[in-house]
Amino acid sequence: MNKTLASIESFTGGKFADRIVSHPGASEYFKGSIVTYATEVKEKLGINVEKGTISSMCAYEMSKKGREFFDVEVCVSFTGNAGPDVMEDQPVGLCFIAINNEVYEINFTGERNEIRKQAVDFAMDKLKEKGFIF
């Protein structure tokens, strides 16, 4: 049985939510997603961006705020640099994905949309490891 799930996405732009809702029965556990592409949107949600938006702290805060906002057991967050240029002195491909209190730092390679897809694939695999059924 799935726990309730939500997401807060930045560079993935809603790709995770799209992947989740493509599965029949997602409405039984998925409550929604917020795309916080702009820094000011993150700040409006109360996400700490003092150490930059491409950081483990930001990913953690995004997941925490998502759990509170959606009142869910699990929230996945995505923040990172899909390119094509260096941002906040962070290289293209550096991504942080949080699932509740666990934050993963991954360096993906490829073009922009390949990096975004790899990030969503990574999160889906982690959720399956944690017992989610899609």
Side-chain angles (χ1 to χ4, degrees), residues 35-53:
V35 176
T36 61
Y37 202 70
T39 300
E40 60 263 21
V41 176
K42 292 175 184 71
E43 291 174 325
K44 282 183 181 181
L45 286 175
I47 294 165
N48 182 351
V49 296
E50 287 178 19
K51 296 191 180 198
T53 60

Side-chain angles (χ1 to χ4, degrees), residues 67-122:
R67 285 193 313 276
E68 293 169 2
F69 181 87
F70 287 105
D71 190 26
V72 293
E73 296 163 290
V74 178
C75 183
V76 180
S77 69
F78 299 84
T79 189
N81 182 4
D85 301 313
V86 171
M87 288 178 47
E88 296 180 10
D89 293 324
Q90 302 294 0
V92 172
L94 178 63
C95 302
F96 295 90
I97 300 169
I99 301 175
N100 288 358
N101 297 329
E102 289 184 75
V103 181
Y104 305 92
E105 178 179 338
I106 310 105
N107 289 291
F108 295 114
T109 59
E111 297 294 322
R112 179 177 179 75
N113 286 329
E114 293 169 326
I115 291 169
R116 295 170 66 221
K117 181 184 181 309
Q118 289 172 58
V120 171
D121 289 346
F122 179 91

